[in-house]
Amino acid sequence: MAENKDTASDKDAAKDKDAEQIVTPWDVQGAKGEDGKLAAIDYERLIEQFGTKRIDAELIARFERLTGVRAHPFLRRGLFFSHRDLASILDRFERGKPFYLYTGRGPSSGSMHTGHMIPFLFCKYLQDAFHAPLVIQLTDDEKFLFKQELKLEEAHKYAIENAKDIISFGFDPKLTFMFSNLDYMGGGFYQNVLRIAKCITYSQARSAFGFTESDNIGKVHFASIQAAPSFSNTFPQIFGPKGDIPCLIPCAIDQDPYFRITRDVAVRLKYPKPALIHAQFFPALQGSGTKMSASKAETAIYITDTAAQIKNKINRHAFSGGGATAEIHAQQGGNPDVDVAFQWLKFFLEDDDELAEIERTYRAGTLSTSNLKKRCIEVVSNIVADIQERRKAVTDELVKEFMDPTAKKVVELKVPVGGIVVDEKKAKK
């Protein structure tokens, strides 16, 4: 029997020993060179390993044509770079058929950091572009299982605090359902968890995620919990009991192993396969060889940090691609490909022309590292301050509105530009 293409290379994808590049849902680092330094993540290699497709200019142009909305900077700059079945989601939108967005957050601390902002900024953009319903899973149970020192009560408290952070991104409560796994588990959700769990063997889980005999059984089982929101009848109060509405999942590429298994399970359960759109990792302050981590304060800028803290962290810790001295930098120029301040501007600076000019002058050596960091500090500080201001307006009542499991949500998407395309064969019938 031929091996399914979605899971054929799970083991190699989780840990590629040839390239020494590690990409799993819990550990991300680039290949280690002979000098001990971590190289930047090789995303082309990940596309090859995971068997995904690159998001090309044609797909972006179709997105813009159907939605009437300019592509987000994350798309224009290749920061969301890979996908599974995004074209099929656009097909449904063009035909007036529903789909929903699904993303999540693993609450490992009381505050999210700037790296966590990426999927939520993009989900907000997609929600507006399609007028799409969105479900947000807070995996407080996962963090309890994977962090030995974390107490269950702490994990749940972090989930509620993170929910307030997420609400401050401006999501529409009429289109958004956010839930803590510890609170929402039961009903259609738990029924799907069991259906999924019955389809996944320990051998598959171990191959995909690298589990060992010392891992607790909760870790092994968690794949079925993260998979369940991919199926619409996990939320019967919103989408009904059939499970026939597919979802689009914006996520970092390290989450793909979960959803490769989910896509295999979907076929067995006769559910639509979830579509995915993958982001590059938001680099830690120390460089592009790893991702930012909320549990490692030295790598991160939190959205609770003050302007002074942001300035201090970027100036002191952000890895520079500049020359060793001002003279060398002026002669040889800098390398924006490894410079953290520039990489962050790729995510957060709206103006494409300004970004291109920064890159040109930094490579030429006429823009100094200190001035590049100064611009990065301005941009990041403004974004964080804006979120902090909106978070002040998030009340307990608003949190309950987003997390009410009985609340009805709007499922109808907006009409695509040019109108809905009618299937002529079905129309004749």
Side-chain angles (χ1 to χ4, degrees), residues 217-247:
I217 59 174
K219 293 182 180 181
V220 180
H221 176 63
F222 183 74
S224 58
I225 298 174
Q226 182 156 324
S230 305
F231 306 133
S232 61
N233 56 355
T234 292
F235 312 99
Q237 76 280 15
I238 302 174
F239 303 111
K242 290 185 179 180
D244 57 349
I245 300 175
C247 70

Side-chain angles (χ1 to χ4, degrees), residues 52-55 59-60 63 72 74-75 79-87 89-90 101-103 119 122-123 125-126 130 247-256 259 263 274-280:
T52 65
K53 293 183 179 179
R54 175 164 282 284
I55 297 173
L59 194 59
I60 293 174
F63 173 94
H72 194 281
F74 293 167
L75 284 173
L79 300 172
F80 273 83
F81 68 102
S82 163
H83 75 99
R84 294 185 188 275
D85 292 340
L86 177 58
I89 292 294
L90 295 180
L101 303 169
Y102 161 36
T103 194
F122 196 56
C123 277
Y125 165 81
L126 292 175
F130 292 109
C247 70
L248 173 62
I249 306 172
C251 62
I253 188 72
D254 61 336
Q255 297 300 303
D256 189 73
F259 299 111
R263 286 165 59 86
L276 291 98
I277 181 168
H278 303 114
Q280 294 184 9

Side-chain angles (χ1 to χ4, degrees), residues 362-377:
Y362 193 60
R363 289 189 188 278
T366 55
L367 177 66
S368 67
T369 295
S370 60
N371 282 331
L372 174 56
K373 286 188 174 183
K374 181 181 178 181
R375 185 64 179 123
C376 178
I377 290 165

Side-chain angles (χ1 to χ4, degrees), residues 111-114 117 164-169 301-310 380-394:
S111 173
M112 291 165 53
H113 61 57
T114 46
M117 293 166 55
K164 295 176 182 178
D165 293 339
I166 293 166
I167 290 169
S168 67
F169 286 91
I301 286 179
Y302 299 92
I303 60 177
T304 53
D305 281 350
T306 66
Q309 287 173 318
I310 293 171
V380 173
S381 296
N382 288 339
I383 290 173
V384 171
D386 187 43
I387 292 171
Q388 290 172 349
E389 192 62 30
R390 289 200 300 267
R391 197 185 190 283
K392 293 177 183 177
V394 177

Side-chain angles (χ1 to χ4, degrees), residues 39 41 64 146 172 193 202 212 224 231 280 302 315 323 335 381 419:
I41 299 297
E64 291 183 323
F146 281 82
D172 186 343
V193 167
Y202 173 67
T212 67
S224 58
F231 306 133
Q280 294 184 9
Y302 299 92
N315 276 333
N335 181 2
S381 296

